[in-house]
């Protein structure tokens, strides 16, 4: 039996082609993972060596091999799609096993964390929420009868961010392209570009937004079903109308439209591809990823949401236009990726000062506490994690005392008499903190208070709060130093923090926004654009100004769209000289319009009787 496949590969080229196709399909499903293909290639080389060593037996078994191969082909064609579906399921199960074993070996080699990979390394399989749901509920509960439906689709395009649906319109080129700007220091800078036809659609979209009528955006999407900004804006409208399913579907369609325009060199997983948020063409991709991330988190897929958060941060880690550092700690705790959060704090603290953000100051010790509670860890690591957790949470409480009371209120926990009566954690701690710090603390408490409701966490927090009160009563110099830092810093928040608060829609943080932010209009497709934007094309100015027309002129314009009482725009120097002449011309235009309107009115004649005399009486 070991020699039959060897002769198939020699005598029958179709069998070899089918195996090559199966190998390519496995590589395609594995997302370019060439490790799964190495054993097959090695096995193929061994078969070829065996074929050269035993040339005498090849003619004897070749006829039997052909007959058996023909029987296999007839079986495959008679069974229809069921065998192909089983093959696909077998391939998926094999790939999952290979990825699981790879992940386990990497974790065992690095002691629990993948230190050999970059911090923002992204795995393709973690971008698919179905993989996370299958880990929770099983593949049969998630997929069901979905696989046969996918085989009936007319078009299939492999994408990583979203999977196209049968209900979507057929995709065609939208007029967006991605270009490579420059490469240097191991980083590649890309940008999206709008072609002329897409610019015209963008101008129509801006007109539709200014009309304040969502139906105009719907009409625009009927003509251009993959216009990205229209999809983003209409998604916000659907979400406000509590149509969450349609809102999520529109965001996925926007991501699919943008992914179809990726540059061949652009990589989602490398962490070295950059997009500049100052360019308006790039902002739609950032916002679509952020909105998709929020839907994933609400859907119960925190691990997938964390991967998208890392993707957004990798696109511009220096400026961080959507301030993903205020969110990544929460998603790490939700996904139980404690090792990733602690590693990020260790690697970025020196140059990003993460401890000066209240969310990192409190979430990192909470992650160490959860690590100390894991029974499968060695006793030494658990004790070290417990010591780090205690030290960091005490530093956080000293630096940000205004977090404790709102956090306990959200958790419905009443502090003891000593904590409630002490001025360090009292009402004065919240009133005296700067406005920017108040926004950060409100954002953190409103977002992550559910993670602190665990009784074990509360008992650990209570112990460290009393230790901090002992430091305050002993007049520790660290307390005074932290108070001085609070007064000097956090006077005003940068624009990306305001943008993050607006997109997050957490009412505690939104209520703390300053008046200069809440007083200006905020568009869902471009909230708080950067002040130093790089504009590649501008919207043309309108030639007519209907707002300056009179009520009578607007009435006749509604009847006759081509009517213009004011005529062409006048130069400022000729206004007074030609006032009387313009008045006469306006009256003449009005009379001509009235004559045209009356001339175009046609009355329907009553039906005539066949009587030629026409003098008969009506019934």
């Amino acid at each position: 039996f070991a020699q039959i496949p060897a002769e198939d590969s020699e005598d029958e080229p179709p069998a070899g082609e089918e195996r090559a196709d199966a190998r390519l399909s496995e590589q395609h499903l594995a997302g370019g993972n060439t490790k799964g293909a190495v054993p097959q290639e090695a096995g193929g080389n061994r078969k070829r060596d065996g074929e050269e060593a035993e040339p005498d037996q090849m003619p004897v078994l070749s006829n039997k091999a052909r007959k058996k191969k023909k029987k296999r082909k007839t079986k495959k064609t008679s069974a229809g799609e069921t065998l192909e579906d089983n093959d696909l399921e077998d391939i998926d199960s094999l790939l999952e096993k290979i990825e699981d074993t790879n992940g386990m070996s990497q974790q065992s080699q690095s002691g629990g964390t993948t230190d050999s990979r970059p911090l923002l390394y992204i795995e393709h399989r973690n971008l698919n929420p179905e993989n996370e749901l299958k880990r929770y509920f099983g593949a049969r509960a998630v997929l069901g009868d979905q696989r046969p439906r996918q085989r009936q689709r007319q078009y299939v395009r492999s994408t990583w961010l979203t999977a196209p649906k049968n209900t979507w319109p057929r995709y065609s080129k939208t007029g967006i392209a991605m270009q490579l700007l420059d490469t240097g220091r191991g980083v590649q800078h890309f940008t999206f570009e709008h072609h002329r036809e897409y610019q015209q659609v963008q101008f129509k979209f801006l007109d539709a937004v200014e009309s304040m009528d969502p139906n105009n955006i719907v009409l625009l999407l009927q003509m251009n079903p993959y216009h990205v900004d229209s999809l983003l804006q209409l998604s916000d409208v659907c979400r406000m109308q509590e149509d969450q399913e349609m809102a999520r579907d529109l965001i996925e369609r926007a991501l699919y439209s943008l992914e179809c325009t990726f540059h061949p060199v652009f990589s989602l997983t490398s962490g070295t591809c950059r997009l500049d948020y100052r360019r308006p063409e790039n902002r739609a991709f950032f916002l679509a990823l952020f909105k998709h991330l929020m839907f994933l988190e609400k859907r119960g897929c925190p691990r997938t949401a964390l991967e998208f958060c890392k993707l957004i941060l990798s696109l511009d880690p220096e400026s961080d236009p959507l301030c993903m550092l205020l969110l990544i700690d929460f998603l790490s705790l939700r996904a139980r990726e404690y090792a990733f959060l602690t590693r990020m704090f260790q690697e970025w603290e020196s140059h990003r000062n993460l401890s000066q953000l209240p969310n990192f100051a409190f979430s990192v010790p909470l992650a160490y506490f959860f690590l100390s509670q894991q029974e499968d860890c060695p006793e030494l690591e658990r004790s070290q994690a417990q010591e780090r957790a205690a030290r960091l949470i005490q530093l956080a409480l000293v630096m940000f005392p205004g977090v404790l009371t709102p956090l306990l209120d959200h958790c419905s926990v009443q502090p003891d008499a000593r904590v409630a009566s002490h001025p360090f954690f009292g009402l004065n701690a919240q009133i005296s903190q700067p406005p920017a710090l108040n926004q950060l603390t409100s954002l953190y408490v409103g977002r992550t208070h559910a993670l602190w409701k665990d009784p074990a966490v509360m008992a650990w927090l209570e112990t460290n709060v009393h230790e901090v009160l002992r430091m305050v009563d002993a007049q520790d110099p660290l307390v005074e130093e932290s108070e001085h830092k609070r007064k000097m810093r956090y006077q005003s928040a940068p624009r990306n923090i305001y943008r993050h608060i607006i997109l997050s829609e957490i009412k505690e943080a939104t209520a703390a926004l300053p008046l200069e932010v809440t007083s200006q209009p905020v568009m869902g497709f471009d909230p708080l654009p950067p002040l130093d934007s790089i504009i590649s094309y501008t919207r043309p100015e309108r030639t007519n100004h209907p707002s300056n027309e009179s009520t009578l002129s607007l009435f006749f314009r509604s009847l006759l769209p081509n009517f213009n009482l004011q005529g062409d725009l006048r130069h400022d120097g000729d206004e007074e000289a030609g006032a009387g002449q313009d008045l006469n011309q306006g009256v003449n235009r009005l009379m001509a319009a009235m004559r045209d309107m009356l001339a175009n009115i046609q009355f329907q004649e009553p039906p005539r009787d066949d009587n030629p005399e026409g003098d008969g009486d009506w019934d």
Side-chain angles (χ1 to χ4, degrees):
F1 292 107
Q3 295 170 354
I4 292 175
E7 287 151 6
D8 288 342
S9 63
E10 283 280 352
D11 297 332
E12 297 194 18
E17 292 175 2
E18 288 179 1
R19 281 199 296 272
D21 294 338
R23 189 183 308 161
L24 287 175
S25 63
E26 286 185 14
Q27 292 180 5
H28 178 67
L29 290 172
N33 187 5
T34 57
K35 293 182 180 178
V38 172
Q40 295 178 356
E41 294 174 359
N45 293 332
R46 286 196 295 269
K47 289 177 185 177
R48 293 191 188 96
D49 296 339
E51 291 163 9
E52 293 175 2
E54 298 177 358
D56 298 335
Q57 299 177 3
M58 289 171 56
V60 179
L61 298 174
S62 60
N63 294 329
K64 294 181 181 180
R66 285 197 187 94
K67 291 179 182 179
K68 289 186 178 182
K69 196 64 185 179
K70 289 178 182 177
K71 288 181 181 179
R72 288 177 194 164
K73 290 182 180 178
T74 53
K75 257 187 204 176
K76 190 172 183 181
T77 54
S78 62
E81 296 182 353
T82 56
L83 286 177
E84 295 179 1
D85 292 337
N86 293 333
D87 293 340
L88 287 175
E89 292 177 358
D90 295 339
I91 291 171
D92 289 341
S93 61
L94 288 173
L95 291 175
E96 289 179 0
K97 290 180 181 178
I98 291 172
E99 289 177 346
D100 292 339
T101 54
N102 289 339
M104 292 174 60
S105 63
Q106 288 169 356
Q107 287 185 357
S108 62
Q109 290 174 2
S110 60
T113 57
T114 55
D115 292 334
S116 59
R117 294 179 177 181
L119 179 65
L120 299 180
Y121 178 81
I122 296 161
E123 296 185 54
H124 278 141
R125 62 172 181 172
N126 291 330
L127 293 175
N128 188 358
E130 288 186 355
N131 293 335
E132 185 173 2
L133 293 175
K134 280 190 278 188
R135 288 197 296 268
Y136 298 152
F137 307 107
R140 188 176 298 275
V142 175
L143 296 178
D145 58 347
Q146 185 178 357
R147 191 176 298 251
R149 291 181 183 175
Q150 287 185 354
R151 294 186 58 81
Q152 297 174 4
R153 280 178 36 207
Q154 302 264 331
Y155 59 99
V156 176
R157 182 164 186 151
S158 176
T159 54
W160 293 113
L161 299 178
T162 56
K165 300 179 181 178
N166 295 328
T167 56
W168 291 358
R170 188 175 182 86
Y171 178 80
S172 59
K173 290 186 178 180
T174 58
I176 303 181
M178 179 182 277
Q179 299 295 332
L180 176 62
L181 294 179
D182 57 7
T183 303
R185 297 181 180 179
V187 175
Q188 298 168 326
H189 294 270
F190 295 86
T191 184
F192 287 98
E193 290 184 352
H194 293 173
H195 296 164
R196 184 175 298 275
E197 59 271 15
Y198 192 89
Q199 294 179 13
Q200 300 300 322
V201 179
Q202 188 74 11
F203 298 150
K204 295 178 182 178
F205 164 73
L206 296 176
D207 294 339
V209 171
E210 291 180 357
S211 68
M212 305 297 290
D213 187 1
N215 294 322
N216 293 332
I217 302 179
V218 174
L219 294 175
L220 184 63
L221 277 177
Q222 290 178 356
M223 301 297 296
N224 306 275
Y226 286 96
H227 182 254
V228 180
D229 284 347
S230 298
L231 293 170
L232 296 179
Q233 189 72 20
L234 191 60
S235 174
D236 290 342
V237 175
C238 294
R239 190 167 44 81
M240 288 186 289
Q241 295 176 354
E242 298 184 356
D243 190 355
Q244 301 292 332
E245 189 66 26
M246 178 58 70
R248 182 164 59 91
D249 187 79
L250 293 172
I251 294 298
E252 292 179 359
R253 202 200 301 182
L255 282 177
Y256 177 72
S257 175
L258 290 170
E259 187 174 1
C260 290
T261 64
F262 279 177
H263 193 275
V265 187
F266 186 80
S267 173
L268 294 171
T269 60
S270 64
T272 59
C273 297
R274 302 287 184 263
L275 286 174
D276 194 348
Y277 192 81
R278 294 177 300 173
R279 297 180 181 271
E281 297 88 349
N282 297 335
R283 295 171 196 166
F285 188 53
F286 283 88
L287 297 172
L289 288 173
F290 188 92
K291 294 175 187 292
H292 185 58
L293 175 155
M294 300 304 291
F295 280 120
L296 288 172
E297 194 272 328
K298 294 177 182 177
R299 191 181 173 188
C301 300
R303 183 64 186 87
T304 310
L306 174 62
E307 208 72 8
F308 274 92
C309 185
K310 291 160 59 179
L311 172 59
I312 300 174
L313 187 59
S314 68
L315 294 177
D316 195 353
E318 296 300 328
S319 59
D320 192 10
L322 299 186
C323 211
M324 304 309 296
L325 289 178
L326 299 179
L327 178 62
I328 195 168
D329 62 300
F330 168 69
L331 295 176
S332 301
L333 294 174
R334 279 285 315 275
R336 300 182 180 179
E337 293 289 331
Y338 310 127
F340 167 77
L341 181 57
T342 54
R343 179 192 171 192
M344 184 176 191
F345 181 76
Q346 293 171 3
E347 293 185 6
W348 285 27
E349 167 64 16
S350 59
H351 66 282
R352 298 297 290 267
N353 293 326
L354 297 182
S355 60
Q356 302 305 308
L357 294 174
N359 58 313
F360 269 92
F362 281 86
S363 293
V364 172
L366 185 60
Y368 276 117
F369 173 76
F370 286 137
L371 286 174
S372 68
Q373 301 299 309
Q374 294 181 353
E375 297 180 355
D376 55 346
C377 291
E379 186 65 28
L380 179 60
E381 293 183 5
R382 292 175 58 184
S383 62
Q384 290 178 353
Q386 193 169 5
E387 292 177 0
R388 291 177 183 175
R391 178 171 52 85
L392 291 176
I393 192 62
Q394 292 172 15
L395 292 176
L397 290 169
V398 170
M399 185 66 194
F400 307 106
V403 175
L404 181 64
T405 303
L407 182 61
L408 296 179
D409 291 341
H410 279 75
C411 296
S412 302
V413 174
Q414 184 70 26
D416 55 14
R418 184 189 178 193
V419 176
S421 61
H422 203 285
F424 187 74
F425 291 117
L427 185 61
N428 187 30
Q430 303 178 46
I431 297 176
S432 61
Q433 62 184 2
L437 183 57
N438 186 28
Q439 295 155 16
L440 293 175
T441 56
S442 301
L443 180 69
Y444 178 72
V445 171
R447 173 176 283 156
T448 61
H449 62 88
L451 300 173
W452 294 82
K453 290 184 177 181
D454 189 2
V457 174
M458 275 296 165
W460 165 72
L461 179 63
E462 182 182 6
T463 303
N464 290 281
V465 167
H466 286 288
E467 183 64 26
V468 169
L469 289 180
R470 187 192 62 78
M471 296 170 57
V472 174
D473 295 338
Q475 296 183 354
D476 194 304
L478 181 63
V479 178
E480 184 178 357
E481 181 183 351
S482 300
E483 183 180 1
H484 178 70
K485 289 181 180 179
R486 284 197 305 273
K487 290 181 179 180
M488 296 300 295
R489 304 170 183 174
Y490 311 106
Q491 293 301 321
S492 62
R495 200 172 178 85
N496 60 342
I497 292 182
Y498 294 150
R499 193 179 298 120
H500 178 89
I501 293 175
I502 292 173
L503 291 173
S504 300
E505 295 183 351
I506 295 177
K507 58 181 181 180
E508 293 86 357
T510 306
L513 286 174
L515 184 62
E516 60 266 17
V517 176
T518 57
S519 60
Q520 57 180 317
V522 177
M523 298 300 177
F525 66 94
D526 190 8
L528 295 182
L531 300 178
D532 55 347
S533 299
I534 302 175
I535 306 297
S536 59
Y537 65 94
T538 57
R539 182 182 178 188
E541 296 182 359
R542 296 184 179 182
T543 56
N544 52 354
H545 301 276
S547 59
N548 297 329
E549 297 183 4
S550 62
T551 306
L552 183 62
S553 176
L554 291 175
F555 169 71
F556 282 104
R557 182 179 293 278
S558 64
L559 296 177
L560 301 171
N562 294 327
F563 171 71
N564 185 9
L565 178 63
Q566 292 182 345
D568 298 332
L569 292 177
R570 301 183 305 266
H571 297 284
D572 294 338
D574 300 332
E575 286 186 357
E576 296 179 358
Q581 183 179 0
D582 290 342
L583 179 61
N584 294 331
Q585 291 179 357
V587 173
N588 292 332
R589 291 195 190 94
L590 178 60
M591 296 302 295
M594 295 270 301
R595 284 194 297 267
D596 292 340
M597 183 180 65
L598 294 176
N600 292 329
I601 296 178
Q602 297 180 357
F603 298 97
Q604 185 177 3
E605 298 181 359
R608 294 182 178 180
D609 195 2
D610 293 336
N611 186 6
E613 297 178 356
D615 54 355
D617 296 334
W618 287 18
D619 294 337

